Amino acid sequence: MYRALSAFSTAKWRWNSAAGYWQPSFNSFPLYCDEMSKSLTPRHPRGLARRLTVAYFTMEIAATDRIPTFAGGLGVLAADIMRSSADLGVDAACVSVCWQFGYLKQAIRPDGTQSYEQVAWDPSKELTKLPQTISVQIERRTVKVGAWMMEYTSGNSATKGHAVPLYFLDTNLPENTPEDRAITQHLYGGDAAMRMKQEVVLGCGGVRMLRALGYDDVGTFHMNEGHCAFLTLELLRERGFNDALVRGSCAFTTHTPIKAGHDVFGYELAWRIAGNLLPWHIKKLAGEDALSMTQLAMTLSRYTCGVSAVHGEVARKMLGNSAIDSITNGVHHVEWVSPDMTKLFNTYIAGWQDDPSLITKHCRDIPDDALWHAHEQGKLRLLHVVREQTGLTLNPDRLTIASARRVVAYKRPELLYTDLVRLKEVCCGRVQIIHAGNAHPGDVFAQEVIHRMIDHSKELRDCMDIAYLPNYNPELAKLLVAGADVWLNTPARLHEASGTSGMKACLNGTINLSTLDGWWVEGYHRDPESGWRIGPLALPLGDEDTRRIDAEDLYTQLQYAVIPEYEYPGHIRWLRRMKRSIGLMGHFNANRCVQEYVSKAWNR
Ligand SMILES: *Cc1c(COP(=O)(O)O)cnc(C)c1O
């Protein structure tokens, strides 16, 4: 801060041709003078300066079932990483946004069409309002930003009570214009200008809020996806526009293996919305032609990673950066284990909550009948919900395949229905299927997919039961991963960054049947007896050929491996495989993931 001020006093002015005005070559805009001098006055008594190993920034977090500030997997992962950080005693804090409308509630009509409604919630009932407010400049207006807080508290015996605060930024304050109050209204809603304003609030506002809260000493600012990359620009300003100083304290996780999925803004828009945040060398940091949030985050991070080994590979090629590492995601074992499995683990795997690696060591000690009983309980619970929601009565003795995820093309939700004749031949009277998955309300393609899948279920009614459960969310995910026998996942290769729902399935003894992509490449190769793969690792064919080959292999696996094993007397072979699936949990848990983050990314 001091450095920035003295830098400003000696700054030379230069013409900024992109913006069309003069600016100091240190880019400390006069606008900031006021705020800077204010920020030099102590906000909290000396000695109360707060330290953090990591400030974890994320656009979404599925903090609890009652806080719908998330859309999907990214938010679920952020929450698990924060839960494990609490358990491991990491001095972490999370910075996110208090979305008035995050997650959308899906309803499915009998004809297969869907409706999506906003889930209203009241932050004052779930979170604590903090007195601090800060401001950011957006379109040259001052926008006030407030914050709400909750904490994850560790239940781990070694760190019992260790708390990780989650801060939710909010522009819905009476001091702001209605337009600015709406910035934190819709997660991923609105146009590019709105998205950019939201990202200014998260990145720039988040750093300022941390300072206002007294966090003067933050080891690493972690960007969970490129949405948060504006935090680097605020840090640049704080540190006298010294790129190396900023790079030294930032780390970045990229989650998107598809180029089109990365946030990119035109510079004209960027100058208009956030002109005074952009340093003179922004094009060097974020791209010549357009402002790429991914490139900005990567340029100003000392450590960048993907979220599985294959995704690391894809990211290195796609982003042209050979230094990109990978840390494979994990799930928080205590959060995602079913109540019945919890009882089993408590009995047979002492200490599993504190140390999930013990699950791998001792899961074979669980007696077969106890494991089958716990699994049946989970299945009955799921089938009960299926009946409540769809009126369909499924058979608890029948092989139950679940396939639930956000409906997007690359996950190939209809792969199972590629050849209905073959599907009938293999599965009639032997298999039942449960689907769930939301489409974005604006995504006509995805809504049609869901519609078609419901049509398939009607067409196949005489031969097998297929249910489509509405409103896929973490609560429903918990029921599905514990109640199904098989967890089916069919992404097109190299498109699934990691995928964590399959890990939740493992934890509960549900067995994965998946194309080799994301985490499953590692899971399957760690123990090929823990589940099944669909098709080979690599298939150098066009989309349509690949799809047909994968579909054929899916039917073959079901016909010759999955169904016979399930129907084998006494479920003996199935139980052996269930235990091997559970055995993967020693690795694919969020504690291991956070330990890797601590040693590779947050080790400053
Ligand atoms: C775990 C989870 C996800 C992420 O899982 P994928 O394998 O990426 O589908 C998404 N949504 C919900 C509700 C989840 O619980």
Side-chain angles (χ1 to χ4, degrees):
M1 208 87 59
Y2 294 93
R3 193 194 298 265
L5 262 189
S6 60
F8 178 65
S9 61
T10 59
K12 294 190 182 64
W13 290 77
R14 54 149 63 192
W15 176 248
N16 182 324
S17 54
Y21 46 65
W22 288 92
Q23 66 181 79
S25 63
F26 285 101
N27 203 48
S28 307
F29 272 66
L31 267 170
Y32 278 125
C33 285
D34 254 10
E35 260 185 50
M36 275 179 162
S37 55
K38 258 189 276 165
S39 68
L40 291 174
T41 55
R43 291 142 304 189
H44 51 92
R46 266 203 174 286
L48 276 185
R50 293 156 92 183
R51 243 205 100 255
L52 282 176
T53 300
V54 61
Y56 188 88
F57 282 62
T58 181
M59 190 79 148
E60 52 171 300
I61 181 163
T64 75
D65 286 336
R66 293 204 304 279
I67 303 181
T69 55
F70 65 97
L74 186 72
V76 174
L77 175 80
D80 277 3
I81 288 192
M82 289 300 105
R83 290 184 180 108
S84 282
S85 296
D87 283 350
L88 293 170
V90 177
D91 287 318
C94 180
V95 179
S96 191
V97 178
C98 186
W99 301 110
Q100 288 161 55
F101 303 110
Y103 162 78
L104 293 159
K105 188 168 175 191
Q106 176 199 47
I108 302 178
R109 304 186 193 94
D111 68 356
T113 56
Q114 305 124 62
S115 62
Y116 291 86
E117 66 176 81
Q118 312 280 1
V119 181
W121 69 296
D122 182 354
S124 69
K125 292 220 169 77
E126 312 295 335
L127 302 167
T128 307
K129 173 107 191 149
L130 298 177
Q132 285 83 354
T133 57
I134 51 96
S135 58
V136 292
Q137 297 288 323
I138 289 175
E139 286 172 332
R140 291 161 205 263
R141 290 190 306 280
T142 298
V143 177
K144 290 271 179 225
V145 183
W148 301 82
M149 186 192 75
M150 65 165 280
E151 285 181 333
Y152 279 147
T153 310
S154 168
N156 190 312
S157 60
T159 54
K160 209 168 185 68
H162 180 76
V164 165
L166 317 180
Y167 298 109
F168 297 85
L169 303 169
D170 189 7
T171 64
N172 187 16
L173 305 175
E175 300 92 303
N176 288 331
T177 63
E179 188 194 351
D180 291 337
R181 291 180 77 150
I183 294 174
T184 55
Q185 202 162 48
H186 291 284
L187 170 62
Y188 306 133
D191 55 6
M194 177 53 92
R195 175 72 74 91
M196 183 143 198
K197 293 177 192 174
Q198 296 175 335
E199 296 187 2
V200 170
V201 168
L202 174 60
C204 173
V207 174
R208 291 184 189 180
M209 183 55 77
L210 287 176
R211 301 306 187 206
L213 292 166
Y215 294 106
D216 284 338
D217 180 2
V218 177
T220 299
F221 288 86
H222 193 100
M223 291 168 269
N224 187 39
E225 195 54 295
H227 312 125
C228 339
F230 285 142
L231 74 82
T232 60
L233 301 185
E234 175 63 11
L235 292 179
L236 270 178
R237 194 186 64 78
E238 276 188 355
R239 294 167 192 195
F241 299 92
N242 182 329
D243 293 357
L245 275 181
V246 173
R247 196 176 299 120
S249 52
C250 292
F252 170 47
T253 303
T254 174
H255 291 260
T256 316
I258 304 153
K259 230 177 178 137
H262 294 249
D263 273 349
V264 173
F265 298 109
Y267 275 113
E268 208 173 311
L269 179 76
W271 284 112
R272 180 162 67 75
I273 305 280
N276 45 7
L277 195 62
L278 305 185
W280 76 98
H281 61 320
I282 184 69
K283 291 189 171 180
K284 228 177 79 194
L285 302 172
E288 282 299 324
D289 307 328
L291 194 164
S292 155
M293 296 298 277
T294 302
Q295 193 169 335
L296 176 62
M298 201 166 64
T299 316
L300 287 175
S301 289
R302 68 168 191 281
Y303 179 83
T304 297
C305 67
V307 288
S308 69
V310 243
H311 175 233
E313 195 80 37
V314 170
R316 282 191 285 279
K317 278 197 199 122
M318 185 177 72
L319 303 173
N321 177 353
S322 61
I324 296 176
D325 195 15
S326 68
I327 295 179
T328 304
N329 288 342
V331 296
H332 189 258
H333 53 297
V334 181
E335 177 68 17
W336 292 100
V337 70
S338 74
D340 313 289
M341 284 291 168
T342 303
K343 275 188 232 150
L344 267 196
F345 287 1
N346 286 343
T347 310
Y348 298 100
I349 312 177
W352 69 281
Q353 278 165 313
D354 287 358
D355 178 3
S357 73
L358 294 174
I359 298 173
T360 301
K361 283 201 191 105
H362 300 301
C363 63
R364 265 168 246 160
D365 301 344
I366 303 174
D368 281 359
D369 52 350
L371 180 56
W372 191 253
H373 180 73
H375 178 59
E376 272 184 325
Q377 294 304 307
K379 200 166 179 178
L380 289 174
R381 221 192 299 267
L382 171 63
L383 299 197
H384 179 75
V385 170
V386 171
R387 192 167 52 237
E388 266 185 353
Q389 302 258 339
T390 67
L392 207 58
T393 306
L394 300 184
N395 178 353
D397 295 325
R398 189 159 294 169
L399 174 63
T400 304
I401 298 177
S403 173
R405 53 200 32 93
R406 197 165 41 88
V407 177
V408 287
Y410 82 81
K411 295 197 185 233
R412 303 189 297 186
E414 293 176 279
L415 190 74
L416 187 62
Y417 303 105
T418 303
D419 183 345
L420 294 186
V421 175
R422 188 89 172 88
L423 178 65
K424 277 187 193 170
E425 182 186 298
V426 173
C427 294
C428 256
R430 300 170 86 181
V431 171
Q432 55 197 7
I433 299 167
I434 305 173
H435 292 293
N438 299 337
H440 191 274
D443 187 346
V444 178
F445 163 82
Q447 293 188 30
E448 279 172 3
V449 169
I450 295 173
H451 196 158
R452 275 202 300 277
M453 287 170 71
I454 288 162
D455 286 347
H456 293 319
S457 73
K458 290 175 186 162
E459 216 175 313
L460 293 162
R461 188 153 39 198
D462 296 336
C463 132
M464 58 201 288
D465 284 323
I466 302 170
Y468 203 111
L469 294 179
N471 197 28
Y472 183 47
N473 62 21
E475 223 173 330
L476 180 56
K478 280 177 193 164
L479 282 170
L480 284 162
V481 294
D485 298 302
V486 168
W487 193 254
L488 175 69
N489 193 19
T490 53
R493 285 171 192 74
L494 307 185
H495 283 65
E496 182 86 294
S498 174
T500 52
S501 58
M503 303 174 187
K504 300 169 194 166
C506 284
L507 174 66
N508 290 286
T510 295
I511 301 173
N512 279 279
L513 167 61
S514 173
T515 35
L516 288 170
D517 201 13
W519 84 280
W520 186 233
V521 176
E522 289 154 75
Y524 180 79
H525 285 107
R526 244 165 205 273
D527 183 1
E529 297 296 309
S530 67
W532 298 277
R533 64 173 166 79
I534 301 165
L537 178 59
L539 257 187
L541 297 170
D543 277 359
E544 189 46 36
D545 289 341
T546 310
R547 212 174 58 82
R548 271 192 292 105
I549 290 173
D550 282 340
E552 184 46 42
D553 197 43
L554 170 55
Y555 300 132
T556 307
Q557 295 283 354
L558 286 170
Q559 184 170 16
Y560 296 107
V562 183
I563 298 173
E565 194 162 313
Y566 184 80
E567 294 177 350
Y568 194 84
H571 301 292
I572 297 165
R573 294 169 60 195
W574 195 268
L575 279 155
R576 198 169 57 207
R577 201 179 285 272
M578 279 175 79
K579 288 182 193 174
R580 302 191 76 139
S581 184
I582 296 171
L584 290 179
M585 248 317 107
H587 186 76
F588 295 100
N589 62 76
N591 283 29
R592 184 272 313 152
C593 177
V594 166
Q595 276 157 347
E596 278 193 55
Y597 273 113
V598 168
S599 68
K600 297 202 241 175
W602 304 341
N603 56 351
R604 191 158 169 269

